[in-house]
C-alpha cells in the first residue's frame, strides 16, 4: 500500500511534537512518502498539480497536523481548499474515491480539556467530526482520527518539558505507525 503523509505543520522547524512524529515515521516506515507543506509552501502558493499527483499515487493518505483553533492550520486549510477541487476530490468525476484517509493530530491542551465534561473545551470526538464529513463527500474510506494531547508551546518552557514532549510524541508515533501498518 502506498502511503502519503501530508504534514500540515506550517513551521516544521519550530515544532517539537509534529517533528518527532514525522521523524519516527521516517525511521520506521522509510517507504512512506511525506509532503511537508510548511517547507514546500512557506509563501502559501500551493502547487495544485503536484499535490493532486501525489494524492493520486497514494492508497492511504494521512493528514498529520497540529490542532490549531480546533481545526486545520491555515496553510493546510488553504491546501485543502485549493487541492480538493470539484471534479478531482468530489463530484461525478472524482478521482480520490476509495482511497483511505487517516487523520493524526497533536493538541496543545491536555486530554482533560477534551473530555466534553464540565470545564472542558469540548469532546474531541465531536471536534474532529468534520474530517469524517470531508471523507464522506470525497468518498474516501475514513480510517478515523488519532491524537496526542498536551504537546503545545506552554509545555516547552524548560528543557525537561521539551524532552517530555518529544518522548510523548514518539510514543504516540508508535501507535500511529501501528495503525498505518494495519491498514490494508
Amino acid at each position: 500500500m502506498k502511503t502519503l503523509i501530508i504534514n500540515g505543520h506550517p513551521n516544521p522547524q519550530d515544532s517539537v511534537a509534529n517533528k518527532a512524529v514525522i521523524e519516527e515515521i521516517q525511521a520506521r516506515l522509510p517507504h512512506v512518502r511525506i509532503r511537508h507543506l510548511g517547507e514546500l509552501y512557506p509563501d502559501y502558493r500551493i502547487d495544485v498539480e503536484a499535490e493532486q499527483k501525489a494524492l493520486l499515487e497514494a492508497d492511504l493518505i494521512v493528514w498529520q497536523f497540529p490542532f490549531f483553533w480546533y481545526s486545520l492550520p491555515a496553510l493546510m486549510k488553504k491546501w485543502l481548499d485549493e487541492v480538493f477541487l470539484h471534479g478531482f476530490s468530489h463530484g461525478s468525476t472524482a478521482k480520490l474515491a476509495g482511497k483511505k484517509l487517516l487523520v493524526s493530530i497533536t493538541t496543545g491542551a491536555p486530554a482533560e480539556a477534551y473530555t466534553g465534561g464540565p470545564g472542558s473545551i469540548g469532546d474531541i470526538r465531536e471536534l474532529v467530526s468534520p474530517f469524517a464529513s470531508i471523507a464522506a463527500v470525497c468518498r474516501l474510506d475514513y480510517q478515523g482520527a488519532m491524537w496526542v494531547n498536551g504537546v503545545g508551546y506552554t509545555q516547552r518552557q524548560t528543557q525537561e518539558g521539551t524532552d517530555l514532549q518529544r518522548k510523548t510524541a514518539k510514543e504516540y508515533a508508535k501507535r500511529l505507525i501501528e495503525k498505518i501498518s494495519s491498514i490494508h
Side-chain angles (χ1 to χ4, degrees):
M1 175 167 295
K2 293 181 183 174
T3 302
L4 172 67
I5 297 179
I6 303 297
N7 178 10
H9 199 295
N11 303 304
Q13 67 280 2
D14 296 332
S15 172
V16 171
N18 278 273
K19 185 177 180 180
V21 169
I22 293 296
E23 287 173 351
E24 282 295 307
I25 291 170
Q26 288 174 316
R28 295 174 182 259
L29 300 174
H31 62 281
V32 168
R33 184 171 180 199
I34 302 173
R35 296 195 58 82
H36 303 275
L37 299 183
E39 293 173 4
L40 290 168
Y41 309 114
D43 59 359
Y44 280 55
R45 293 183 184 167
I46 310 293
D47 182 342
V48 173
E49 186 177 319
E51 296 304 314
Q52 289 179 343
K53 182 178 185 290
L55 289 164
L56 289 173
E57 293 172 354
D59 301 306
L60 169 62
I61 302 160
V62 179
W63 291 352
Q64 173 64 48
F65 58 94
F67 208 41
F68 284 6
W69 289 107
Y70 320 108
S71 189
L72 300 167
L75 176 59
M76 193 163 181
K77 176 63 167 81
K78 187 174 191 322
W79 175 87
L80 182 65
D81 289 345
E82 292 186 10
V83 175
F84 276 55
L85 299 174
H86 185 269
F88 173 74
S89 65
H90 59 287
S92 62
T93 60
K95 297 172 178 62
L96 296 182
K99 294 182 183 292
K100 297 175 186 313
L101 175 66
L102 174 63
V103 174
S104 172
I105 60 177
T106 59
T107 75
E112 302 80 46
Y114 293 104
T115 62
S120 75
I121 295 166
D123 185 330
I124 196 161
R125 292 176 302 264
E126 292 175 14
L127 294 170
V128 300
S129 66
F131 306 122
S133 299
I134 291 168
V137 167
C138 297
R139 296 190 321 260
L140 291 163
D141 181 1
Y142 189 56
Q143 301 296 303
M146 299 176 61
W147 51 85
V148 59
N149 303 108
V151 291
Y153 295 107
T154 59
Q155 293 83 12
R156 295 189 282 189
Q157 302 305 313
T158 64
Q159 186 61 47
E160 181 180 79
T162 300
D163 292 344
L164 179 59
Q165 188 176 103
R166 190 174 291 110
K167 180 181 179 210
T168 300
K170 286 184 176 205
E171 289 169 0
Y172 167 75
K174 290 175 187 171
R175 292 193 328 266
L176 176 59
I177 290 165
E178 286 175 12
K179 177 72 174 181
I180 290 169
S181 298
S182 73
I183 296 172
H184 302 290

